[in-house]
Amino acid sequence: MENNTIKIGFVSLGCSKNLLDTEVMLARLANAGYAITPDETEADVVIINTCAFIESAKKESIDNILDIAWLKEHNGLKAIIVTGCLAERYRDEIFTEIPEVDAVIGVGSIDKIEDAVAAVLSDERFSCYGDKNTCGLGGERIVTTPDHTAYIKIAEGCDNRCTYCAIPGIRGKFRSRPIEDIVAEAQELEAIGVKELNIIAQDTSRYGLDIYGEYSLAKLVRAITDATTIPWIRLLYCYPDKITAELIAEMRDNDRVVKYIDLPIQHISDNVLKRMNRHGDGKVVREVVEKLRREVPGICIRTTVMVGFPGETEQDFEELCEYIKEAEFDRLGAFTYSREEDTPAYDFPDQIDEQTKQERYDIIMKEQLHIAEAKNRALIGKTVKVLCEAYDPAAEIYYGRGEADAPDIDTKIYFRPEIGKKRIAPGEFVDVKIDDVVDYDLIGDIVR
């Protein structure tokens, strides 16, 4: 059977870093002559790129595999291939527990995806687990995000060894890509119309330490700025203890770096941070947040916190609540501690029951809702630069995002059409005057 008669479907789960691996596999299979379909019901082979960071992510991955397995039984699907973090973490257990799966490849073997497809089409089981610490980084991609926005992965793996986190065991040691490789990819993305470049890694602020001997994120941002004209460059997944003065200066002085940083703090209590093996104590967190606000006027700070970590006392939790009220983060996400095997915290004493975790989560998110509402209402009457994403014909309104809004996770800004004026194209920048707030989202009119 010719490759071009075989249709390949993809399901990509988990984070944006996983999505980029999916895009690389898409390109490899397209180059091998396979047809790619967005509709799993018409595919001959479906590849599920999974997540396994926490329990809920594992459940979502398994549910998706089982859903696709139904197509194999009832809809003529020939084969299922499981890739990504679940495949790396549980390896041959997947074959045992879900016999409908025909191939499993680990995170260090996405370059073997063509071999996996060829094998399953020949009714052969296939598994491959290359060395995740030496496999190639980057590669040709089929970009699946909207034309105006894209992610770029600057490193793989993690060396932080937080006691709750399975990622180092799944993804391996931290490895940076050379600046010239990343710049070349940024230029390719600019050539296809990207207006917003979102820089990602497990820990972007560590970038360069392994290959250049120093934190080099600021240097990388300058190189991308010099080599492209991409208007918005956004920094995601930066860690508080690695925010250098050079990086802060680059954010302040470079007009094309949006005044936004994703800075996961996880907690503020020294007791909890120490047990988490976080690098830097509560004082470090407080100081870097204060410095960012002082040095980069108008910066939007997004953070993530964890509640219910083993040994988190009521006093620790109260300290976190008070700090969230004090810091007034512009964006905040919270999650409850997930007890993950093969992590040190799995065996920690003083595990906290699920009800207490959920209660603490609800308290945090209720407090953050008040903060977010106040910050949004403060924007009424102000004009915001918006990157248009699309037009909603049902609601008869456009929507997009401002500098303070990362793709998929942050606020949407809705704006009304101009009567008698041309349509706004996705990827076009417009100025919007905010006049209303609905939940976390903003509404306004175009200003000419």
Side-chain angles (χ1 to χ4, degrees):
M1 188 179 291
E2 294 294 325
N3 285 3
N4 60 12
T5 66
I6 300 295
K7 293 183 178 180
I8 309 291
F10 267 85
V11 176
S12 190
L13 304 171
C15 65
S16 52
K17 298 177 285 293
N18 217 35
L19 177 64
L20 266 66
D21 290 346
T22 296
E23 293 179 347
V24 170
M25 288 188 283
L26 278 168
R28 295 188 71 96
L29 291 171
N31 289 338
Y34 294 103
I36 307 298
T37 176
D39 184 355
E40 298 98 342
T41 64
E42 66 176 29
D44 297 293
V45 177
V46 171
I47 297 163
I48 307 168
N49 195 14
T50 59
C51 180
F53 174 50
I54 55 177
E55 189 62 35
S56 59
K58 288 185 284 187
K59 184 179 185 303
E60 182 187 23
S61 294
I62 293 167
D63 287 347
N64 271 268
I65 296 170
L66 295 175
D67 286 345
I68 299 299
W70 186 92
L71 294 177
K72 190 177 178 185
E73 183 178 352
H74 298 281
N75 204 59
L77 179 69
K78 292 183 174 67
I80 299 171
I81 299 173
V82 176
T83 68
C85 293
L86 191 79
E88 180 68 33
R89 191 171 183 185
Y90 295 103
R91 301 204 167 190
D92 292 335
E93 291 174 50
I94 294 174
F95 283 143
T96 304
E97 299 294 330
I98 314 175
E100 295 92 341
V101 172
D102 301 281
V104 183
I105 63 174
V107 298
S109 298
I110 63 173
D111 61 332
K112 303 298 183 188
I113 190 63
E114 304 99 307
D115 296 339
V117 171
V120 298
L121 288 173
S122 299
D123 293 323
E124 299 172 12
R125 277 204 161 180
F126 183 93
S127 62
C128 187
Y129 304 98
D131 187 347
K132 53 185 172 256
N133 292 311
T134 60
C135 63
L137 302 179
E140 184 182 350
R141 298 160 51 189
I142 291 179
V143 178
T144 58
T145 47
D147 292 345
H148 55 271
T149 186
Y151 296 97
I152 190 164
K153 185 158 57 172
I154 63 173
E156 184 57 272
C158 189
D159 288 347
N160 289 325
R161 299 286 171 181
C162 300
T163 56
Y164 54 81
C165 186
I167 292 297
I170 297 170
R171 288 280 176 176
K173 65 183 181 182
F174 186 89
R175 293 181 297 139
S176 302
R177 296 174 61 193
I179 286 177
E180 55 269 25
D181 288 3
I182 299 168
V183 168
E185 185 174 350
Q187 291 172 321
E188 292 168 3
L189 293 169
E190 179 183 27
I192 64 173
V194 166
K195 300 291 199 310
E196 176 189 41
L197 190 65
N198 300 285
I199 295 177
I200 58 173
Q202 298 295 340
D203 178 359
T204 54
S205 44
R206 182 183 282 268
Y207 175 76
L209 185 63
D210 53 321
I211 57 176
Y212 301 122
E214 61 182 3
Y215 297 135
S216 305
L217 183 56
K219 188 180 297 182
L220 171 65
V221 169
R222 279 197 301 275
I224 293 172
T225 305
D226 291 343
T228 73
T229 60
I230 296 172
W232 280 4
I233 299 170
R234 187 182 301 278
L235 301 177
L236 302 175
Y237 315 126
C238 296
Y239 279 54
D241 60 296
K242 304 180 189 72
I243 304 299
T244 64
E246 185 182 20
L247 180 61
I248 292 175
E250 188 66 24
M251 295 187 69
R252 180 190 64 220
D253 301 335
N254 188 334
D255 290 339
R256 285 163 50 205
V257 178
V258 297
K259 305 307 180 259
Y260 176 106
I261 191 167
D262 181 17
L263 190 80
I265 65 168
Q266 306 304 0
H267 219 282
I268 197 66
S269 161
D270 286 347
N271 169 50
V272 177
L273 290 171
K274 185 176 181 180
R275 290 165 67 87
M276 287 179 168
N277 195 37
R278 295 288 289 182
H279 300 180
D281 57 13
K283 183 171 182 284
V284 168
V285 171
R286 293 173 189 273
E287 287 178 348
V288 75
V289 169
E290 290 169 5
K291 189 170 185 180
L292 282 164
R293 290 236 168 97
R294 183 174 64 248
E295 297 287 333
V296 189
I299 191 170
C300 174
I301 302 179
R302 160 171 276 283
T303 197
T304 308
V305 298
M306 180 192 296
V307 296
F309 188 75
E312 181 191 52
T313 64
E314 282 293 337
Q315 184 178 349
D316 294 327
F317 177 66
E318 284 299 322
E319 186 178 352
L320 177 61
C321 290
E322 288 305 311
Y323 181 60
I324 288 171
K325 293 177 187 175
E326 171 194 326
E328 295 188 336
F329 289 102
D330 304 274
R331 309 279 185 263
L332 182 143
F335 60 100
T336 59
Y337 166 71
S338 176
R339 191 179 184 188
E340 296 298 315
E341 68 269 29
D342 303 321
T343 65
Y346 183 87
D347 295 317
F348 279 6
D350 303 319
Q351 298 284 332
I352 293 174
D353 65 89
E354 294 301 322
Q355 181 178 340
T356 301
K357 291 179 190 177
Q358 188 61 45
E359 288 171 354
R360 291 178 180 180
Y361 170 87
D362 292 341
I363 290 168
I364 291 287
M365 293 313 297
K366 184 177 180 181
E367 183 57 46
Q368 182 59 27
L369 178 60
H370 296 321
I371 293 168
E373 285 178 339
K375 285 180 174 285
N376 278 345
R377 297 219 164 267
L379 290 171
I380 291 177
K382 296 186 178 179
T383 299
V384 179
K385 185 178 183 181
V386 175
L387 177 61
C388 178
E389 293 190 293
Y391 178 73
D392 182 345
E396 297 183 331
I397 199 165
Y398 292 97
Y399 60 89
R401 293 177 289 104
E403 284 196 33
D405 310 306
D408 303 320
I409 56 173
D410 287 330
T411 294
K412 294 284 188 189
I413 299 176
Y414 293 87
F415 54 100
R416 305 172 186 95
E418 297 172 287
I419 297 174
K421 298 289 181 69
K422 71 177 183 66
R423 282 187 172 258
I424 308 298
E428 187 175 338
F429 288 99
V430 292
D431 290 328
V432 175
K433 186 175 182 180
I434 306 302
D435 61 26
D436 200 4
V437 176
V438 177
D439 296 327
Y440 283 97
D441 295 327
L442 305 168
I443 301 173
D445 288 310
I446 297 172
V447 176
R448 297 291 184 182

